[in-house]
């Protein structure tokens, strides 16, 4: 493995630091490294591997499509692209007029949505403190964390940040020059932070009052992660723009920007594009993921399993764990000390992949197929991991 690490360090741009392991295969909620050690993947590729690793139906669908047609360019369309767009339009639009733009990633989906906001004729965007929307320059301009943004300034201007969940601050910032308000229904990279009850509805009302678009970044929360197709819809609110990626392809790169109502008709031919976005291979993979989530009842499974996971962690009664927040299988374990990185390191040594997005928070985002039997060894190991 050391040789592989040395080759990585020589060959790759140093964007990610030193990898923790060299992984070589996966099955269900587990992965194996180059030395044969098995790990329970409690991060799911950062909420990407919704169906776990190598789900047989998804593998078969990708192989079948790869043997049929993989890429045609955006000068043509395919049945898979059209069907996926129709499915997403219905999912987000809820009976209202909606259109989809298919992309390769969450950042690219947010870039498309940002361009749509500019076509309103307004340039002011209200974003949330603690937010994360991607690394491309447009998406980065909406991301609150200064260390991500500062090395690349000047970025696209016109962004105002307000505290996440602060209704008074949002109301004070919104005016008739605001193009859109962008927010995550649950902030993932900030440590799985939930807004106060009614905050999304308040944002909807304020946007309506000022003629602004309400933009939900569901890249991490969407596609069943929280036990619902859309976390915003689960909270009873419809967005004008909704962006997806991560779990949409179950590991295959794909994203989507769905625009509803008047926002659906703002982009005209020639104003935006993508070479690979919505190709038949990616679209067929996403359609298969949607079918599997639906046919295997994974929305309800994620809701129930996530509730069990949260209550089981809290029931261990460790003084280092204050509480567990989040919904479904997107959970933040809130610690009483800034020891999350140490816990994540010890967990990896014990065969569990977790993530430390903040010094006092562990993030858990296992595959939607994970069972309580799969999770029980992690619960049993917690006292040693946090001690």
């Amino acid at each position: 493995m050391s040789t592989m690490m040395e080759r990585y360090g020589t060959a790759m741009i140093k964007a990610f630091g030193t990898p923790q392991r060299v992984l070589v295969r996966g099955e269900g909620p587990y992965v194996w490294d180059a030395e044969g050690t098995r790990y329970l993947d409690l991060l799911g590729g950062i909420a990407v591997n919704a169906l776990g690793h190598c789900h047989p139906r998804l593998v078969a669908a990708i192989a079948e499509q790869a043997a049929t047609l993989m890429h045609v360019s955006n000068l043509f369309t395919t049945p898979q692209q059209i069907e996926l767009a129709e499915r997403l339009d219905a999912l987000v639009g809820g009976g209202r007029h909606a259109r989809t733009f298919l992309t390769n990633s969450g950042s690219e989906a947010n870039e498309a949505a940002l361009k749509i906001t500019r076509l309103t004729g307004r340039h002011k965007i209200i974003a949330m403190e603690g937010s994360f929307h991607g690394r491309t320059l447009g998406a980065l301009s909406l991301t609150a964390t200064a260390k991500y943004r500062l090395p690349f300034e000047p970025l696209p201007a016109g962004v105002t940040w307000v505290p996440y969940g602060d209704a008074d601050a949002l109301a004070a910032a919104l005016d008739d020059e605001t193009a859109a308000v962008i927010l995550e229904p649950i902030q993932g990279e900030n440590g799985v932070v939930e807004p106060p009850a009614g905050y999304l509805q308040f944002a909807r009302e304020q946007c309506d009052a000022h003629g602004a678009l309400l933009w939900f970044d569901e890249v991490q929360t969407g596609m069943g992660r929280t036990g619902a197709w859309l976390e915003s819809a689960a909270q009873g609110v419809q967005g004008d723009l909704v962006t997806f990626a991560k779990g949409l392809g179950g590991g295959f790169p794909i994203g989507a920007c769905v625009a509803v109502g008047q926002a659906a008709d703002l982009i005209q031919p020639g104003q935006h594009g993508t070479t690979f976005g919505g190709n038949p291979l990616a679209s067929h993979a996403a359609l298969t993921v949607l079918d599997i989530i639906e046919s295997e009842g994974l929305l309800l499974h994620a809701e129930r399993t996530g509730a069990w996971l949260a209550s089981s962690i809290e029931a261990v009664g460790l003084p280092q764990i204050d509480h567990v927040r989040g919904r479904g299988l997107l959970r933040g374990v809130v610690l009483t000390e800034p020891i999350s990185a140490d816990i994540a390191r010890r967990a990896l040594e014990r065969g569990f992949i977790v993530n430390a997005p903040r010094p006092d928070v562990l993030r858990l985002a296992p595959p939607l197929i994970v069972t309580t039997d799969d999770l029980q060894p992690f619960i049993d190991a917690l006292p040693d991991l946090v001690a």
Side-chain angles (χ1 to χ4, degrees):
M1 181 152 9
S2 60
T3 302
M4 294 292 288
M5 291 296 192
E6 291 169 1
R7 289 167 59 187
Y8 179 95
T10 301
M12 300 287 290
I13 286 178
K14 297 178 180 180
F16 303 107
T18 303
Q20 299 176 69
R21 296 290 190 275
V22 177
L23 301 180
V24 296
R25 71 181 181 94
E27 182 179 346
Y30 300 98
V31 292
W32 285 260
D33 67 19
E35 296 185 347
T37 302
R38 189 185 80 166
Y39 303 87
L40 177 61
D41 186 0
L42 294 172
L43 187 57
I46 312 183
V48 167
N49 298 312
L51 305 179
H53 299 273
C54 299
H55 191 289
R57 287 175 60 186
L58 181 57
V59 170
I62 290 173
E64 177 187 24
Q65 188 61 48
T68 306
L69 188 66
M70 285 196 288
H71 179 74
V72 298
S73 89
N74 55 30
L75 299 176
F76 305 91
T77 189
T78 63
Q80 296 82 4
Q81 184 184 67
I82 295 169
E83 184 180 349
L84 178 58
E86 289 173 342
R87 292 275 291 272
L88 294 177
D89 290 347
L91 194 65
V92 175
R96 295 180 63 198
H97 172 54
R99 294 183 187 273
T100 289
F101 182 83
L102 295 171
T103 70
N104 306 288
S105 68
S107 291
E108 192 183 342
N110 283 331
E111 291 282 342
L114 180 59
K115 290 178 80 170
I116 290 174
T117 70
R118 290 294 179 92
L119 292 173
T120 64
R122 303 178 181 185
H123 297 158
K124 179 179 177 181
I125 303 286
I126 297 177
M128 303 293 134
E129 294 178 3
S131 63
F132 182 87
H133 300 294
R135 303 278 193 165
T136 53
L137 289 183
L140 190 60
S141 72
L142 306 167
T143 295
T145 305
K147 68 178 181 180
Y148 297 152
R149 288 186 292 105
L150 294 180
F152 304 103
E153 291 185 338
L155 296 168
V159 181
T160 299
W161 283 280
V162 298
Y164 184 65
D166 188 329
D168 291 339
L170 178 60
L174 253 167
D175 56 31
D176 292 343
E177 299 302 316
T178 303
V181 172
I182 178 173
L183 57 88
E184 300 154 272
I186 297 174
Q187 290 188 329
E189 296 296 322
N190 198 29
V192 192
V193 179
E194 298 176 79
Y199 181 71
L200 299 192
Q201 181 60 48
F202 179 80
R204 175 74 276 170
E205 294 167 356
Q206 290 294 306
C207 285
D208 289 343
H210 293 282
L213 301 177
L214 180 56
W215 169 4
F216 289 126
D217 180 334
E218 296 252 17
V219 168
Q220 191 159 160
T221 54
M223 295 300 115
R225 173 56 50 190
T226 66
W229 287 117
L230 304 172
E231 177 57 27
S232 53
Q235 296 189 37
V237 184
Q238 185 180 52
D240 302 298
L241 295 167
V242 180
T243 48
F244 299 105
K246 291 191 179 288
L248 177 59
F252 199 97
I254 187 169
C257 169
V258 183
V260 180
Q262 293 182 347
D265 296 316
L266 289 174
I267 283 187
Q268 297 300 309
Q271 291 184 322
H272 195 45
T274 173
T275 297
F276 296 102
N279 68 67
L281 185 55
S283 295
H284 191 56
L287 284 168
T288 304
V289 170
L290 295 176
D291 288 341
I292 294 171
I293 291 174
E294 191 172 66
S295 64
E296 296 189 4
L298 294 182
L299 297 181
L300 182 59
H301 178 77
E303 179 184 353
R304 290 177 173 175
T305 306
W308 178 91
L309 176 62
S311 62
S312 296
I313 291 172
E314 292 178 344
V316 176
L318 298 170
Q320 297 93 338
I321 295 177
D322 187 82
H323 66 284
V324 180
R325 62 194 180 200
R327 296 172 186 259
L329 286 171
L330 179 61
R331 296 288 173 170
V333 182
V334 182
L335 308 169
T336 57
E337 306 170 49
I339 56 175
S340 63
D342 291 334
I343 296 174
R345 176 181 51 79
R346 288 195 292 269
L348 190 64
E349 293 168 355
R350 290 284 298 272
F352 305 103
I353 297 176
V354 301
N355 174 240
R358 291 292 180 265
D360 60 347
V361 180
L362 290 172
R363 176 171 48 175
L364 305 177
L368 306 186
I369 61 162
V370 76
T371 67
T372 56
D373 287 343
D374 296 326
L375 295 168
Q376 188 61 55
F378 174 70
I379 302 298
D380 295 338
L382 270 176
D384 290 337
L385 298 181
V386 305

